[in-house]
Amino acid sequence: MSFPNPVTSVKLVLLGEAAVGKSSLVLRFVSNEFQENKEPTIGAAFLTQKLTIGDRAIKYEIWDTAGQERFASLAPMYYRNAQAALVVYDVTKPASFVKARQWVKELREQASKDITIALVGNKYDLVEDDNEEDLVRKVNVEEGQNLADEEGLLFFETSAKTGYNVKDVFVAIGNKIPEATASGSDTATNQTSGEGRIDLSGGGNFNNATSGCC
Amino acid sequence: MVKERLLRAGEVELLYVKSKVYLHPTPSKKDNICGFLSLSRGPLATNNDILLSFSAENQLSKEEIKIYNNVDLHELEVDLEALQISGKRLANAVASKKREDHIVTKPPVSILVGYSFSIPLSFVFSIQVRKPSSGFWHGSLVINTKDGEKLPILFFHDNESASTLKEQKIRNQRFDPFNSSGDLYWGGDDFIKVLLKFIRVVKSTVETSVLLINPDEDDLRNFANNRRKSSIGGDSSSEAATKPIDFKMPNIGKFLNNAKWRVLETVATLGAQTKNQVVDLVDEHAPVPLKQLMSKPEVKKIGDDFDSARIYLAKWAQQVKEEAEESLKKYMLEDDIYNQINKELGSDEYLTEEEINKTSRRDPIGLTEWKSFFDYSGRLNITANEIKSKIFHGGLEPEVRKEAWLFLLGVYSWDTSAKEREELYASYETAYSDYKLKWVEDTEKRSTEFWMDQKHRIEKDIHRTDRNIEIFQNKKTKRTSTTSTGENANNSNERESSPETPDEASEPEENEEDEFNLSNIRNPHLFNVREILLTYNEYNVNLGYVQGMSDLISPLYFIYQDEVLTFWTFSKFMEIMERNFVRDQSGMKKQMLTLNKLLQFMLPKLYKHLEKCQSVDLFFFFRMLLVWFKREFEWNDVFHLWETLFTNCYSSQFHLFVALAVLSANERIIIQNLQQFDEVLKYMNDLSMKMHLDPLLIRSELLFLKFKRMIDIIDRENSIARSSGKFDNVVNVDHELRQLLNKEPIIQKEVERPEGVGGG
């Protein structure tokens, strides 16, 4: 590593209605991939990614939650200690924007006070070619921007499909996170090799474990 | 059975044959002479007397050509093993009977008859190995005799030889096209391999392509001076033959093997989207010589099947991984697995040998066996418990599931006759269409916000569930329901009654999903799944559709591909799964809690470690328990696991023992390597699609048996304590743990939906 600076860890949670593209945003950010018809998330997925912004190395620890109402009661477990949240809606689905509003409210009431929230209108690729008669877009940029201004949120419209603005969201969040939050002592974190995997190559140990596993 | 007999005089046993070996007496192709290179042994011959022969095809009889070809194509593997044995027991081997289909007339023992030749190995001084390369299209062998004679060069026409082609194909399929010296496999490799079994071969230090056959010290010192020696003592040479072979292949094979393991280790730590990562990994981890090999034009040539060396390499790495895991699996399924798990669990302290033996696996039940369980009237002639135990210990063949799952899920009870089941089916059919009509005919209901939300949820989810399975994929061409079979025609009639039927006339001919109108489903199977889920939403009004159900229904639909049977199996399945989906999550919480207690009871050391990692909420099991490991195992394994769980053979909550087995199998690695909450979580999440089901099922069963025995022991001690008045010694076993011994499914129904609460 050419960075002597300690790695800053950011615990980040994604919230939003089902099928707005939460997992796809994460997949784009972590692996720069897009998967059509990505399966619904059950429970939550956990991924990590490292990013260098200027001279800072930031490790994102991302909780990608299931969007469906039934699992909403689990959300507090994920945002409880989160430093940042992405509240995602689908620019073609007004109901998803209503839901986003509720999530912002819940976060303001329940999550830690200094949590950084980004409001993200996803599926921008679908509205790129909108013409005036036939609007696919159902949530205007202004609506999103207004909510963000009222609540003091970062605001982006993104497309996980094309990659538009995706990295920018995470960079913006990274910039809002104060320098090296207590992760200097966290050597295990620093050794993590990036690209969303935990480095377990403890040599022989892993071999043993593999054979013991199955 | 292959007949065996003693060799007669003038006959030899073929030990090795390579077909399509050519002499090139002139530069003109049409003068090439085609024949067989062989090693053969006559009666009472020592290894030194083994004949190295070239027999021109045109000098052999048809029958003999047949024998030669046969030995070439089919016997290499077998023979190599047999040879090793006979090498050790030389005296016996010489006198023993030979396989009749290996016996041919002894090739004429002269140096050269016509174009054929034949010499004993003891007369071979050296063999120069010329591999195929850019200069030599055909690989060849140059044989020098002890007289200083040079025999005609043998050219291996690999592209014509059936055995070489076969071997190459096998190697390519295994993604292991290299021979043990790290070069591409060619026809001469086998010959050298066989030769090494019989005689001492030393690689020349001066010219490494030259192999010295049974050399003496002088030869080794200056083999270049090869015009010497005319005879060699029989005694000393037979002794030499039994000496260990000095010749060592270069170590690149081992190197490759090590590399394999390095790649494997790293692959195993990765997340699910391995495909791209494997490519990077190989770049990082492939040894330098391997990379160099991959850039050779010959290697690229293999890749007619592959887009590029890079992809080839990636496939290789993946193959390595599978291969290694396969062998691991095999190893684990040997008897050793029982010993190993038992030792680790310490179960022999708790379990009798008989109990442990009971856990051994059987073959899956095939159609014939399944049919044999029923008498002429279609009634069982063995007990349901016997069948369940068989299913528990080996599962079902896919073609049996269609019928067997109806019993396992309680659509039909085990004691019905075929006739009764027919009647039952009819009533199921009616009941299904009644439920379906409830939403089909009620336009008012269908326009409520709740109903439309539910429909949207279902559509969203079925469009993204198991889309890698063929029947759930969109066809490239337009749907052809009009030309389909009778059964499908029925379905489409039924569909016309459904208001959700897409307007086929206006359906565009394209493969894309309509982003804005999910309701316009073009795949008839997805369409059926939606109809079933919408009907279930009606059938179980309180619960309705909840995310996760699309995962539960898709294997069922895959089996039946029929609305009625899928609906009823799904409904029955949902009876036991309903507690996973209730609104307040109490069913899931309770199972997680039970698992937590079970973990403390059974694996206290691991529990303490997880406590340190703040991971005792066992949150990573949420998904596994919610959809019964559907996302953790490969498609085919899911069926096997579920039918095992359906049996309730030991416990209606056996899935918690499967979860415990997952932890137990990873106990050591977790304790040794993982320190933090997110590390544990990520590790457990990433086990998805990497676990092997069979060993895990065995482990689960043993864990259950151990658990049961522990409870028994505690109960026994308690009753002794009570009877002797020592009430302080009585140990209380938690109610939830005791309930794990119960085979009756736990049913928890959803309560009525409160006013104003949405579905989903």
Side-chain angles (χ1 to χ4, degrees):
Chain A
M1 276 289 248
S2 56
F3 300 106
N5 296 358
V7 176
T8 308
S9 285
V10 180
K11 285 196 167 42
L12 187 152
V13 61
L14 278 92
L15 299 165
E17 207 186 48
V20 296
K22 295 179 292 300
S23 304
S24 295
L25 282 169
V26 178
L27 187 63
R28 172 61 74 190
F29 177 57
V30 171
S31 329
N32 200 19
E33 278 175 31
F34 180 74
Q35 218 178 306
E36 205 77 56
N37 296 319
K38 194 161 172 27
E39 75 275 3
T41 306
I42 291 179
F46 181 75
L47 298 97
T48 60
Q49 171 69 312
K50 232 185 224 179
L51 203 62
T52 308
I53 307 174
D55 59 352
R56 298 174 69 202
I58 297 186
K59 183 193 170 203
Y60 295 86
E61 297 169 3
I62 306 167
W63 281 103
D64 173 25
T65 66
Q68 202 177 9
E69 194 65 40
R70 190 62 51 105
F71 303 118
S73 63
L74 305 167
M77 296 197 47
Y78 301 108
Y79 64 64
R80 203 175 35 201
N81 296 316
Q83 292 147 285
L86 256 65
V87 175
V88 187
Y89 65 94
D90 174 346
V91 292
T92 71
K93 297 270 153 48
S96 70
F97 187 67
V98 174
K99 187 71 214 174
R101 214 181 263 281
Q102 290 170 14
W103 276 122
V104 172
K105 188 162 171 271
E106 181 170 339
L107 285 172
R108 283 286 177 242
E109 287 165 4
Q110 312 282 336
S112 93
K113 281 217 167 58
D114 47 4
I115 189 168
T116 303
I117 304 175
L119 180 68
V120 177
N122 192 34
K123 307 203 183 175
Y124 178 76
D125 54 289
L126 299 178
V127 303
E128 234 169 341
D129 307 322
D130 259 7
N131 52 43
E132 282 188 23
E133 309 86 78
D134 184 23
L135 280 180
V136 176
R137 180 192 278 277
K138 296 283 157 47
V139 183
N140 292 327
V141 187
E142 295 74 37
E143 292 176 75
Q145 191 62 60
N146 287 343
L147 175 60
D149 291 346
E150 280 165 33
E151 296 283 346
L153 320 172
L154 297 165
F155 175 63
F156 290 89
E157 288 196 340
T158 60
S159 165
K161 190 168 184 169
T162 64
Y164 172 71
N165 258 349
V166 174
K167 199 174 168 191
D168 308 63
V169 179
F170 290 89
V171 170
I173 285 175
N175 282 329
K176 287 264 251 173
I177 299 295
E179 199 91 4
T181 45
S183 53
S185 60
D186 186 358
T187 44
T189 307
N190 290 349
Q191 282 162 5
T192 307
S193 57
E195 286 95 66
R197 55 178 116 123
I198 291 177
D199 186 7
L200 295 171
S201 48
N205 289 346
F206 197 82
N207 264 339
N208 293 344
T210 313
S211 54
C213 153
C214 310
Chain B
M1 265 311 277
V2 178
K3 275 199 237 161
E4 295 190 351
R5 65 171 170 81
L6 288 168
L7 291 179
R8 301 189 192 105
E11 285 181 339
V12 291
E13 177 202 17
L14 288 173
L15 303 169
Y16 164 83
V17 170
K18 177 60 73 183
S19 63
K20 302 295 173 192
V21 175
Y22 282 76
L23 307 184
H24 295 179
T26 74
S28 167
K29 258 190 198 171
K30 65 180 199 301
D31 294 330
N32 288 355
I33 290 155
C34 176
F36 297 96
L37 171 67
S38 68
L39 291 171
S40 60
R41 195 204 311 253
L44 301 170
T46 68
N47 281 3
N48 279 307
D49 300 319
I50 287 172
L51 292 174
L52 189 168
S53 319
F54 173 81
S55 314
E57 272 187 16
N58 59 18
Q59 290 178 319
L60 295 171
S61 70
K62 259 191 194 158
E63 286 73 10
E64 281 189 322
I65 288 180
K66 210 168 144 193
I67 295 176
Y68 274 92
N69 271 326
N70 247 329
V71 175
D72 173 37
L73 194 54
H74 299 296
E75 309 298 341
L76 182 65
E77 298 284 317
V78 186
D79 258 23
L80 281 179
E81 284 165 25
L83 287 174
Q84 268 171 327
I85 298 162
S86 66
K88 280 181 206 143
R89 296 180 282 145
L90 192 63
N92 294 341
V94 178
S96 71
K97 291 179 176 180
K98 304 299 173 200
R99 292 182 52 167
E100 197 163 32
D101 61 354
H102 283 209
I103 297 173
V104 290
T105 322
K106 188 178 182 182
V109 194
S110 67
I111 293 293
L112 209 51
V113 173
Y115 279 106
S116 299
F117 61 80
S118 191
I119 60 165
L121 286 183
S122 55
F123 280 97
V124 178
F125 177 76
S126 71
I127 300 176
Q128 189 187 0
V129 181
R130 303 196 301 198
K131 294 164 193 161
S133 67
S134 41
F136 297 97
W137 178 251
H138 298 295
S140 56
L141 297 178
V142 186
I143 299 169
N144 293 294
T145 69
K146 295 232 149 105
D147 304 314
E149 193 91 39
K150 198 174 232 167
L151 291 170
I153 298 170
L154 299 167
F155 290 90
F156 287 71
H157 287 211
D158 286 348
N159 51 336
E160 294 170 41
S161 169
S163 64
T164 307
L165 290 172
K166 186 177 161 196
E167 182 67 19
Q168 278 173 339
K169 201 173 145 201
I170 292 171
R171 281 165 186 263
N172 280 346
Q173 279 167 355
R174 290 201 309 247
F175 299 100
D176 183 20
F178 312 108
N179 62 21
S180 46
S181 58
D183 287 312
L184 278 184
Y185 169 80
W186 69 289
D189 283 341
D190 295 336
F191 174 74
I192 297 157
K193 211 161 124 194
V194 174
L195 201 62
L196 287 171
K197 307 263 176 215
F198 294 115
I199 202 138
R200 190 160 148 262
V201 176
V202 179
K203 188 174 258 201
S204 156
T205 47
V206 183
E207 170 53 62
T208 51
S209 70
V210 173
L211 306 177
L212 302 178
I213 307 304
N214 210 7
D216 60 23
E217 291 307 306
D218 286 350
D219 292 328
L220 284 173
R221 262 196 302 278
N222 56 0
F223 91 101
N225 227 347
N226 62 2
R227 297 189 175 273
R228 42 175 298 144
K229 305 279 290 177
S230 52
S231 68
I232 191 157
D235 287 343
S236 67
S237 59
S238 75
E239 187 197 313
T242 57
K243 270 192 201 163
I245 294 157
D246 294 337
F247 178 75
K248 276 211 182 86
M249 293 290 190
N251 234 350
I252 192 169
K254 196 174 160 196
F255 194 23
L256 282 174
N257 246 348
N258 289 342
K260 276 183 182 183
W261 281 102
R262 267 210 306 282
V263 173
L264 171 73
E265 276 174 37
T266 324
V267 167
T269 65
L270 288 183
Q273 351 107 9
T274 38
K275 204 174 166 191
N276 290 332
Q277 287 167 340
V278 166
V279 177
D280 297 341
L281 261 179
V282 171
D283 275 353
E284 273 172 53
H285 292 273
V288 179
L290 178 62
K291 279 188 209 164
Q292 285 165 352
L293 270 175
M294 294 313 296
S295 62
K296 276 189 180 174
E298 311 92 272
V299 175
K300 287 189 174 150
K301 190 185 73 193
I302 316 168
D304 284 355
D305 307 351
F306 311 109
D307 305 347
S308 68
R310 200 176 155 79
I311 293 176
Y312 182 86
L313 208 47
K315 291 199 174 184
W316 170 79
Q318 224 144 13
Q319 193 71 21
V320 167
K321 178 176 163 262
E322 279 166 24
E323 207 179 284
E325 284 174 356
E326 197 56 37
S327 66
L328 193 68
K329 198 160 92 184
K330 269 186 208 142
Y331 163 72
M332 294 306 290
L333 280 176
E334 294 299 317
D335 290 351
D336 291 356
I337 189 173
Y338 301 110
N339 301 334
Q340 193 188 325
I341 293 179
N342 282 326
K343 208 168 151 196
E344 196 183 316
L345 298 179
S347 39
D348 38 353
E349 292 168 33
Y350 296 90
L351 303 176
T352 63
E353 203 167 315
E354 196 193 337
E355 279 174 307
I356 292 167
N357 286 343
K358 244 172 51 183
T359 65
S360 65
R361 301 286 112 172
R362 69 193 300 286
D363 286 337
I365 297 173
L367 211 50
T368 321
E369 187 180 3
W370 173 257
K371 290 211 168 110
S372 74
F373 299 153
F374 296 88
D375 65 16
Y376 63 97
S377 67
R379 269 188 211 280
L380 278 189
N381 52 29
I382 64 172
T383 67
N385 284 342
E386 282 172 89
I387 297 186
K388 285 182 192 171
S389 169
K390 284 179 206 286
I391 295 173
F392 185 92
H393 289 105
L396 299 162
E397 293 286 359
E399 64 268 22
V400 180
R401 293 193 173 123
K402 208 165 182 168
E403 210 174 310
W405 281 34
L406 294 170
F407 292 94
L408 282 171
L409 282 163
V411 173
Y412 297 145
S413 73
W414 290 97
D415 56 10
T416 50
S417 69
K419 182 135 191 308
E420 285 164 342
R421 290 194 289 273
E422 239 169 70
E423 288 159 14
L424 270 169
Y425 179 79
S427 67
Y428 277 127
E429 213 171 16
T430 320
Y432 174 70
S433 62
D434 285 351
Y435 283 115
K436 189 170 171 180
L437 284 177
K438 274 192 181 178
W439 61 268
V440 169
E441 290 187 339
D442 191 340
T443 36
E444 199 179 317
K445 172 178 277 172
R446 277 189 288 115
S447 57
T448 61
E449 197 187 333
F450 173 74
W451 197 88
M452 287 195 303
D453 276 357
Q454 285 296 77
K455 174 168 167 277
H456 186 62
R457 282 190 185 99
I458 291 169
E459 284 165 351
K460 268 190 307 198
D461 285 354
I462 60 176
H463 274 93
R464 40 192 200 137
T465 301
D466 294 321
R467 291 303 292 272
N468 55 329
I469 301 301
E470 206 190 330
I471 61 165
F472 297 129
Q473 283 165 0
N474 275 6
K475 298 267 157 54
K476 288 271 181 274
T477 54
K478 201 177 162 177
R479 197 172 68 222
T480 54
S481 57
T482 43
T483 59
S484 55
T485 60
E487 196 186 3
N488 286 341
N490 280 341
N491 283 348
S492 63
N493 284 338
E494 213 170 302
R495 258 194 244 128
E496 267 161 47
S497 72
S498 161
E500 302 307 321
T501 307
D503 182 1
E504 297 210 20
S506 68
E507 192 179 315
E509 276 189 59
E510 56 184 48
N511 184 29
E512 274 174 38
E513 221 94 59
D514 186 341
E515 301 261 17
F516 311 108
N517 186 5
L518 287 171
S519 304
N520 192 4
I521 298 174
R522 294 192 191 93
N523 176 322
H525 298 295
L526 291 188
F527 186 92
N528 290 344
V529 173
R530 182 184 61 181
E531 301 288 279
I532 299 163
L533 287 173
L534 280 170
T535 307
Y536 183 76
N537 190 49
E538 216 52 56
Y539 171 78
N540 189 345
V541 182
N542 290 340
L543 184 65
Y545 174 78
V546 183
Q547 205 163 70
M549 289 186 189
S550 64
D551 277 284
L552 298 184
I553 199 172
S554 87
L556 296 171
Y557 186 82
F558 179 83
I559 291 177
Y560 294 105
Q561 302 191 18
D562 167 276
E563 274 189 63
V564 176
L565 288 177
T566 309
F567 175 81
W568 287 108
T569 45
F570 177 68
S571 303
K572 297 286 183 182
F573 188 18
M574 278 310 301
E575 280 178 18
I576 45 175
M577 300 302 272
E578 184 157 355
R579 64 174 176 151
N580 291 7
F581 293 93
V582 293
R583 209 164 287 114
D584 64 3
Q585 297 287 323
S586 56
M588 282 302 293
K589 281 179 196 153
K590 194 164 175 196
Q591 287 174 76
M592 305 281 273
L593 186 67
T594 308
L595 182 59
N596 181 297
K597 289 176 179 168
L598 186 60
L599 178 63
Q600 292 185 52
F601 191 71
M602 300 291 292
L603 305 171
K605 224 170 97 193
L606 179 61
Y607 184 84
K608 281 191 193 110
H609 182 81
L610 289 176
E611 225 168 13
K612 272 187 236 152
C613 309
Q614 285 128 40
S615 298
V616 280
D617 55 20
L618 302 180
F619 206 70
F620 33 87
F621 276 116
F622 185 88
R623 178 176 74 191
M624 304 197 202
L625 300 186
L626 187 85
V627 291
W628 272 15
F629 303 91
K630 164 85 171 2
R631 300 278 183 91
E632 326 303 320
F633 290 102
E634 301 289 347
W635 181 247
N636 292 323
D637 282 347
V638 169
F639 293 85
H640 184 179
L641 172 64
W642 285 9
E643 64 208 9
T644 306
L645 296 175
F646 291 154
T647 61
N648 296 334
C649 221
Y650 287 113
S651 162
S652 63
Q653 300 194 84
F654 196 74
H655 61 288
L656 296 181
F657 287 90
V658 177
L660 186 70
V662 170
L663 283 170
S664 151
N666 290 283
E667 178 170 10
R668 219 173 328 145
I669 189 175
I670 295 173
I671 292 178
Q672 286 176 355
N673 297 288
L674 307 177
Q675 305 294 335
Q676 291 178 4
F677 166 69
D678 53 353
E679 287 175 346
V680 175
L681 190 76
K682 180 147 182 59
Y683 178 77
M684 295 302 290
N685 272 349
D686 288 352
L687 288 177
S688 175
M689 299 297 162
K690 293 207 196 70
M691 296 185 286
H692 289 303
L693 184 58
D694 273 332
L696 213 51
L697 286 177
I698 294 170
R699 192 181 278 267
S700 316
E701 185 174 1
L702 287 167
L703 281 165
F704 176 86
L705 292 172
K706 180 180 175 181
F707 169 76
K708 186 169 181 290
R709 178 52 58 93
M710 284 166 74
I711 302 269
D712 287 347
I713 291 170
I714 291 171
D715 286 350
R716 193 187 63 208
E717 296 301 313
N718 280 350
S719 75
I720 292 170
R722 279 199 199 89
S723 65
S724 55
K726 294 176 184 162
F727 293 100
D728 289 351
N729 292 356
V730 172
V731 180
N732 280 318
V733 175
D734 188 274
H735 168 73
E736 262 136 31
L737 287 182
R738 202 175 281 283
Q739 208 175 20
L740 288 171
L741 297 171
N742 201 334
K743 297 179 189 181
E744 277 304 303
I746 296 171
I747 309 286
Q748 184 189 354
K749 302 290 284 181
E750 177 61 297
V751 295
E752 201 176 326
R753 185 165 57 94
E755 199 64 36
V757 169

